[in-house]
Amino acid sequence: MTRPQIESARSRLNGQNNVVDLLIRDGVVSEADVSRTLAGQAHMDWIDISSMVIPPVVIKQIRAEDARRFKVVPVAFGESGLIVAVGDPLDIDTIDSLSFLLQREIELVCTSPAKIREALIKYYGTADEAADVLQEKLGADVDLGLEIGEGAAAVEGDETDAPIIRMVSMLLIEAHRLGASDIHLEPLDKKFRVRFRIDGVLQEMQAPPKRLQSAIISRLKIMTGSMSIAEKRLPQDGRIQVKIKKKPIDLRVSTIPTNHGESVVMRVLDKSSLILGLPELGFFSDDQETFERLIKLPDGILLVTGPTGSGKTTTLYACLHYINKPDRKIITVEEPIEYQMNGINQVQVNPEIGMTFPAALRSILRQAPNVIMIGEIRDLETANIATAASLTGHLVFSTLHTNDAPSAVARLVDIGVQPFLVASSIRAIMAQRLVRRLCSNCKEPAELSETELRALRIEPGQVREAQVMKPVGCEQCRKTGYRGRLGIFEIFVIDDEVRHMINKRSSTLMLRQRARELGMRTLREDGVRKILGGVTSAEEVISTTIGDVS
């Protein structure tokens, strides 16, 4: 804070504000900084009550109307009485009036007025007030349509339901605005915790009052149109379709009973963010060139491997989008169909009526497709049909759960596929992981530590010409230092010698050695290239490829 800033504020004074208010409004100082300074002048401790979970027995010590009138929140029982948080420690009249009203000793601590307002809503407020807090973050102009199923009318409720309806709507909008892939609603002993998974990491959000827990969960069940609000003892699954700013969003809803109520997880599927180009996946130019050549092959199997959440489905959709031309017929078999793509025939697996992966595959082969995408190879029958399809002139894309690319060969043999069929059908295997992308707004140059250099096997000469960056944190990335994710890849191209090795049932270790001779980079080595390019951090690559010791 400088003298010109203070003088500028003084010049704009009127009867409705003071210098401090104007400095806060201008962003010169924060409300928290001001309250800390006032707490120091009053010889009072300053606390952050937003990070606290205040027990209901403490909250009940002050009535809601009194807490709102005096702008105070009880936080704990102390040795000399009730500990109460105040926003203005210099307001002696209010403090004396509160002490007289309670007829007991009180011990004061200070926090910022904004945190007092949030706590009053959290512990004493209504659903409407809680929704107002989210509304302030999002702005007044919000366009949201909620639908049950495709094209159904918006879900309505009576006037008493309106605050809950509005609050749930605000929650979904906030998740979409922040780019969350999952919404977790978790009932704890004294709190209803809300967390969003953003860029693969769970981040805690402002929690609604615990007493609204049942109403919020019931509202979400009603929105699915298929889940029972009366059944709270068994897990349930459903689906919600919403429109946020006219963009269609699918929510896959799952509930499971816990000891403090039903836990809800919603997976957010944004159809508009589906179609990524190959560069957006995170390929460098040489890997992209190799991958483009592979997905243009006329036949064979291309496998994408990795654990759940490693972006395999996104990669397959990007492949289909890249090769989706009028002269090619593409059919997919999925469970479930996560995104709908124009120009592609997508088949939904439904085991309850006998529509399994093998049954669907046998039928679609009679549809004379050029390209087939199988959501996942899970059993021998599916693997055999995929192999037979590739050997009869079809290009087959699919996924497999293995940790690296060479391990996929052993996995197929373990399922029961004959080695000679694996050798003759597989064209390439790509393993992948997702790492967080550094925020372009706040990343800063950095130097790698000796430990990081050893872990990543980076030679000092590689760093001299590199652009190593580190996360810092800003408002745009929610102080995390990261925005978005990209892939790191391990591409294993099968050649004649590798086919011979597969026929001889060579070990995964020997296949890996041959792949390295052919120029395959490991996941960690591809991650190192992205560290040196200033795209991600050493910490991200090390933690994501902890099992890569090659």
Side-chain angles (χ1 to χ4, degrees):
M1 182 166 55
T2 62
R3 182 170 293 279
Q5 289 172 325
I6 296 174
E7 293 301 326
S8 173
R10 281 178 175 165
S11 67
R12 291 179 283 127
L13 278 176
N14 56 46
Q16 297 179 343
N17 50 39
N18 56 42
V19 173
V20 174
D21 291 336
L22 290 172
L23 290 173
I24 292 173
R25 190 183 305 168
D26 293 343
V28 177
V29 295
S30 69
E31 198 175 56
D33 292 334
V34 172
S35 67
R36 281 193 181 93
T37 302
L38 294 176
Q41 292 176 355
H43 305 288
M44 192 182 294
D45 290 335
W46 194 93
I47 64 170
D48 182 358
I49 61 172
S50 64
S51 62
M52 300 174 64
V53 178
I54 305 172
V57 66
V58 174
I59 291 295
K60 289 177 181 177
Q61 300 304 306
I62 300 180
R63 297 185 306 169
E65 54 268 32
D66 294 331
R68 286 194 180 95
R69 178 156 56 101
F70 293 112
K71 294 183 175 60
V72 298
V73 176
V75 294
F77 292 114
E79 295 179 1
S80 58
L82 184 66
I83 301 176
V84 178
V86 299
D88 184 359
L90 304 183
D91 188 356
I92 305 300
D93 291 339
T94 294
I95 294 167
D96 288 343
S97 300
L98 178 64
S99 181
F100 176 78
L101 177 70
L102 297 178
Q103 291 293 298
R104 65 189 298 178
E105 290 292 326
I106 61 174
E107 184 180 336
L108 298 177
V109 292
C110 184
T111 189
S112 71
K115 295 186 184 298
I116 289 285
R117 291 192 294 271
E118 290 178 4
L120 287 173
I121 291 172
K122 180 177 180 179
Y123 295 106
Y124 297 106
T126 64
D128 225 359
E129 290 173 323
D132 283 340
V133 174
L134 285 172
Q135 183 83 54
E136 287 177 12
K137 292 182 179 180
L138 298 169
D141 185 19
V142 174
D143 177 17
L144 176 69
L146 299 175
E147 301 176 355
I148 300 178
E150 191 70 30
V155 182
E156 299 293 346
D158 58 32
E159 290 185 4
T160 59
D161 295 329
I164 294 295
I165 293 173
R166 181 164 166 255
M167 186 172 186
V168 170
S169 298
M170 293 298 110
L171 184 72
L172 300 181
I173 296 170
E174 177 75 345
H176 179 262
R177 185 181 71 86
L178 296 175
S181 60
D182 303 294
I183 303 170
H184 295 249
L185 308 178
E186 302 162 312
L188 306 179
D189 184 17
K190 299 173 181 177
K191 181 180 180 181
F192 186 41
R193 183 167 66 179
V194 176
R195 294 191 290 176
F196 295 165
R197 191 181 297 279
I198 303 171
D199 296 335
V201 178
L202 283 172
Q203 298 182 28
E204 191 161 351
M205 301 293 123
Q206 183 168 330
K210 171 75 173 174
R211 66 181 178 280
L212 300 179
Q213 172 182 310
S214 296
I216 290 172
I217 294 173
S218 294
R219 169 62 184 166
L220 289 168
K221 287 182 175 181
I222 291 170
M223 288 168 64
T224 66
S226 60
M227 299 171 71
S228 170
I229 62 173
E231 181 56 75
K232 300 181 180 180
R233 300 167 300 170
L234 296 173
Q236 296 187 68
D237 294 299
R239 179 175 177 175
I240 300 172
Q241 291 183 320
V242 301
K243 287 185 179 178
I244 299 178
K245 295 184 178 176
K246 299 184 179 180
K247 293 173 66 176
I249 309 294
D250 270 7
L251 299 165
R252 300 287 164 77
V253 185
S254 171
T255 67
I256 189 168
T258 70
N259 56 337
H260 297 299
E262 290 180 283
S263 175
V264 181
V265 175
M266 292 180 283
R267 187 177 180 196
V268 183
L269 302 173
D270 183 355
K271 297 179 181 179
S272 64
S273 64
L274 160 68
I275 305 304
L276 296 176
L278 296 181
E280 283 77 22
L281 294 177
F283 285 113
F284 277 170
S285 57
D286 53 348
D287 281 345
Q288 182 176 331
E289 184 179 337
T290 300
F291 197 64
E292 286 179 358
R293 176 175 57 81
L294 291 170
I295 63 179
K296 290 177 181 177
L297 291 172
D299 56 30
I301 298 176
L302 177 61
L303 288 176
V304 181
T305 77
T308 301
S310 58
K312 301 187 298 295
T313 301
T314 301
T315 297
L316 288 183
Y317 275 114
C319 293
L320 296 183
H321 179 66
Y322 182 82
I323 64 173
N324 186 15
K325 302 291 190 294
D327 61 344
R328 282 193 167 190
K329 178 160 185 172
I330 303 173
I331 303 181
T332 73
V333 185
E334 306 170 63
E335 185 187 9
I337 296 174
E338 295 194 359
Y339 302 99
Q340 296 180 3
M341 301 183 69
N342 292 328
I344 292 178
N345 302 278
Q346 295 173 272
V347 178
Q348 170 78 52
V349 170
N350 188 351
E352 293 181 2
I353 60 172
M355 188 64 161
T356 60
F357 272 107
L361 283 169
R362 281 192 294 269
S363 297
I364 67 174
L365 286 175
R366 293 193 287 271
Q367 297 281 313
N370 300 106
V371 180
I372 302 169
M373 193 269 271
I374 306 169
E376 181 184 347
I377 294 178
R378 302 178 182 176
D379 52 49
L380 176 58
E381 193 173 5
T382 304
N384 279 336
I385 295 173
T387 303
S390 70
L391 295 175
T392 54
H394 302 86
L395 179 60
V396 179
F397 295 102
S398 191
T399 69
L400 207 60
H401 284 276
T402 62
N403 288 329
D404 59 15
S407 299
V409 173
R411 172 68 178 143
L412 288 173
V413 173
D414 287 344
I415 287 175
V417 183
Q418 292 296 320
F420 75 91
L421 291 175
V422 175
S424 55
S425 61
I426 301 292
R427 294 290 180 265
I429 306 165
M430 184 177 77
Q432 71 175 66
R433 298 290 189 279
L434 293 176
V435 294
R436 289 185 291 173
R437 191 188 297 266
L438 287 167
C439 174
S440 58
N441 185 60
C442 64
K443 64 181 180 181
E444 291 182 353
E447 293 185 3
L448 297 175
S449 67
E450 289 296 326
T451 304
E452 291 170 335
L453 289 171
R454 284 197 302 272
L456 297 168
R457 299 181 182 179
I458 298 177
E459 299 295 330
Q462 292 178 267
V463 182
R464 294 193 191 102
E465 303 297 325
Q467 300 174 337
V468 179
M469 296 287 186
K470 67 179 181 181
V472 177
C474 63
E475 293 300 325
Q476 292 187 19
C477 61
R478 289 181 52 81
K479 305 292 184 183
T480 63
Y482 299 93
R483 286 188 72 190
R485 289 189 290 177
L486 73 155
I488 53 175
F489 306 99
E490 181 177 279
I491 304 177
F492 181 17
V493 180
I494 309 297
D495 69 352
D496 289 339
E497 184 174 340
V498 173
R499 292 189 181 93
H500 182 64
M501 293 172 69
I502 294 172
N503 276 322
K504 293 197 310 179
R505 295 179 180 263
S506 297
S507 68
T508 299
L509 178 60
M510 294 178 65
L511 290 174
R512 190 169 187 79
Q513 288 173 346
R514 174 56 185 164
R516 302 283 280 135
E517 291 171 4
L518 291 171
M520 183 188 80
R521 273 183 293 271
T522 66
L523 291 166
R524 179 160 287 190
E525 287 170 347
D526 192 44
V528 166
R529 293 206 300 168
K530 282 148 191 175
I531 294 169
L532 300 179
V535 181
T536 189
S537 67
E539 180 185 5
E540 273 292 293
V541 172
I542 291 172
S543 63
T544 304
T545 61
I546 197 72
D548 187 357
V549 293
S550 296

